[in-house]
Amino acid sequence: MPTSDRTIRVGTIDVTVRTSNRTTLTVAVTRSGNIIVRGPHSTTDTEATALVTRRRSWIYRQLAHLAETAPDNPLKELVAGAGFDVLGRPHRLRIVPDDTQGEPLIQQSSTPSGSWLHLRRSTMLKMDEARQSIIYLYAKTGREWLKNDQPQTVTYRSNCRLPVTFSTRMRSNWTLNHPTRGLTLHWATAQLPPTLLRELIHRALNLHTIAPSRDLNNALRTLWLGRLSTPTSTVDPRIHLNPAPTDRCPDCSAPPGTLHADRCDIARCAITGFQRAHCHPGNTCNTVWTGELPGEPECTEYGYYCRPTPDGYEPCNADDPDAMHDFNRLYRECRWNPSTQRMTLP
């Protein structure tokens, strides 16, 4: 007889009873949170209910684990200043004119003003094209990282010749380990810091642990999986290159006048003025999102600007072409004043 399914109600939970030619009776919890009882065709609803009732403690533990590890699948707004992590390094999105950039998306890391993803204006106006461009960049960055890191990552693997790569098409699994084709990683995992990315590879290959498993599970939950929304701002997207005073924080979406979220990469410590990364207990060092990126008002007031050149970045005037705030100079020459919550001249 072919396999057949039916649904029964056990307490407040729907349970699928799947019968086939098997001879044993088992219960399983799927990744989507469904409870399935598998048994022979002779399985009755009473038997299935009794098994679920008997295993309810185990079922609740499995459901709790799924709830703790299920991805949040955050939604990112496609606007200038939106935050994207690349190999654990925070990047902000910058919309650039088409005539200044030939490719849809370019990564600019370790510039004086931070790390950026430069997205062409015409690409930003096409949601699907923008999403694919960002996904391809993650996969490309992951593959480039593997070229240097893979020999160390798989040192203890029995067959080091099998390839490890990133896919732009994986949907439900973080990793896919094929016995002959090698290990394939979800493109979104290229957002992880290298230490956690190595841990994910080691976990998939059943190698030794190199990082706390809980840290990896928590990080996987917060990965961006490709959900984008159109800008909600009424400002023309062709000129909306920087956050306006009424915009939410590009990283944690805090409204102006409210505290940043605990893990926000843009938030600065109220005590030291540097990036806030759980540096003080509780919320004692948290700061308020003002609608402007930290340090921008001071750079504007002190005239700290720079622009890119073939030989690197050089100081410039605010009205010069390609001028941007020189945050490196600000933190090099100024000091943080906790009472005014500003960088001040010495």
Side-chain angles (χ1 to χ4, degrees), residues 1 4 6 17-25 39-48:
M1 293 177 62
S4 63
R6 66 180 186 271
V17 180
R18 181 166 299 165
T19 59
S20 63
N21 291 328
R22 64 182 297 155
T23 59
T24 58
L25 189 65
H41 289 295
S42 59
T43 302
T44 65
D45 292 353
T46 301
E47 291 173 331

Side-chain angles (χ1 to χ4, degrees), residues 271-291:
I271 300 174
T272 66
F274 291 101
Q275 187 176 28
R276 182 176 183 270
H278 304 289
C279 46
H280 295 88
N283 248 3
T284 58
C285 69
N286 205 350
T287 48
V288 170
W289 167 247
T290 63

Side-chain angles (χ1 to χ4, degrees), residues 4 8 18 21 23 67 125 187 262-263 273 325 334:
S4 63
I8 63 174
R18 181 166 299 165
N21 291 328
T23 59
L125 300 176
W187 62 265
D262 188 45
R263 299 192 178 193
H325 293 108
C334 298

Side-chain angles (χ1 to χ4, degrees), residues 19-81:
T19 59
S20 63
N21 291 328
R22 64 182 297 155
T23 59
T24 58
L25 189 65
T26 62
V27 62
V29 179
T30 68
R31 289 187 176 182
S32 58
N34 296 322
I35 301 172
I36 300 179
V37 172
R38 296 183 175 91
H41 289 295
S42 59
T43 302
T44 65
D45 292 353
T46 301
E47 291 173 331
T49 299
L51 177 62
V52 172
T53 302
R54 189 166 61 251
R55 299 295 307 278
R56 62 181 179 275
S57 296
W58 175 84
I59 292 173
Y60 290 150
R61 288 198 301 272
Q62 298 303 309
L63 292 175
H65 176 72
L66 288 173
E68 292 175 356
T69 58
D72 292 339
N73 196 10
L75 176 68
K76 289 186 179 291
E77 194 175 29
L78 196 61
V79 294

Side-chain angles (χ1 to χ4, degrees), residues 9 41 53 90 97 108 126 207 209 248 251 268 274 280 283 318 324 346:
R9 191 80 169 172
H41 289 295
T53 302
Q108 297 280 347
K126 302 174 183 177
L207 300 178
T209 299
R248 291 173 176 264
D251 186 75
R268 292 299 181 264
F274 291 101
H280 295 88
N283 248 3
M324 61 182 67

Side-chain angles (χ1 to χ4, degrees), residues 153-346:
T153 300
V154 298
T155 298
Y156 300 101
R157 188 180 179 190
S158 58
N159 187 354
C160 295
R161 295 183 179 180
L162 291 180
V164 181
T165 188
F166 283 81
S167 172
T168 60
R169 305 181 63 180
M170 293 184 69
R171 294 295 182 266
S172 58
N173 297 324
W174 297 124
T175 62
L176 180 62
N177 192 11
H178 194 277
T180 58
R181 299 175 185 172
L183 178 65
T184 303
L185 302 174
H186 195 294
W187 62 265
T189 60
Q191 300 169 67
L192 294 171
T195 301
L196 296 183
L197 188 52
R198 294 188 193 100
E199 170 62 17
L200 178 64
I201 296 175
H202 281 221
R203 177 189 293 185
L205 299 177
N206 294 319
L207 300 178
H208 66 284
T209 299
I210 60 175
S213 180
R214 179 178 292 274
D215 290 350
L216 175 59
N217 290 336
N218 291 337
L220 289 174
R221 289 192 61 189
T222 61
L223 295 186
W224 177 70
L225 302 180
R227 294 179 63 216
L228 285 173
S229 67
T230 55
T232 57
S233 174
T234 57
V235 179
D236 187 339
R238 292 173 297 178
I239 61 175
H240 189 203
L241 305 183
N242 293 297
T246 57
D247 284 348
R248 291 173 176 264
C249 171
D251 186 75
C252 70
S253 298
T258 63
L259 291 174
H260 287 279
D262 188 45
R263 299 192 178 193
C264 179
D265 289 321
I266 290 179
R268 292 299 181 264
C269 172
I271 300 174
T272 66
F274 291 101
Q275 187 176 28
R276 182 176 183 270
H278 304 289
C279 46
H280 295 88
N283 248 3
T284 58
C285 69
N286 205 350
T287 48
V288 170
W289 167 247
T290 63
E292 295 180 282
L293 297 174
E296 276 193 352
E298 293 95 315
C299 284
T300 301
E301 179 181 344
Y302 306 148
Y304 288 174
Y305 291 89
C306 63
R307 62 182 177 182
T309 70
D311 298 323
Y313 286 82
E314 66 176 11
C316 68
N317 297 319
D319 55 355
D320 287 338
D322 300 323
M324 61 182 67
H325 293 108
D326 192 344
F327 295 102
N328 280 357
R329 182 183 176 187
L330 178 70
Y331 279 87
R332 184 173 61 249
E333 298 184 4
C334 298
R335 297 293 179 267
W336 177 253
N337 187 331
S339 61
T340 61
Q341 293 291 289
R342 284 172 53 89
M343 299 293 292
T344 58
L345 293 170

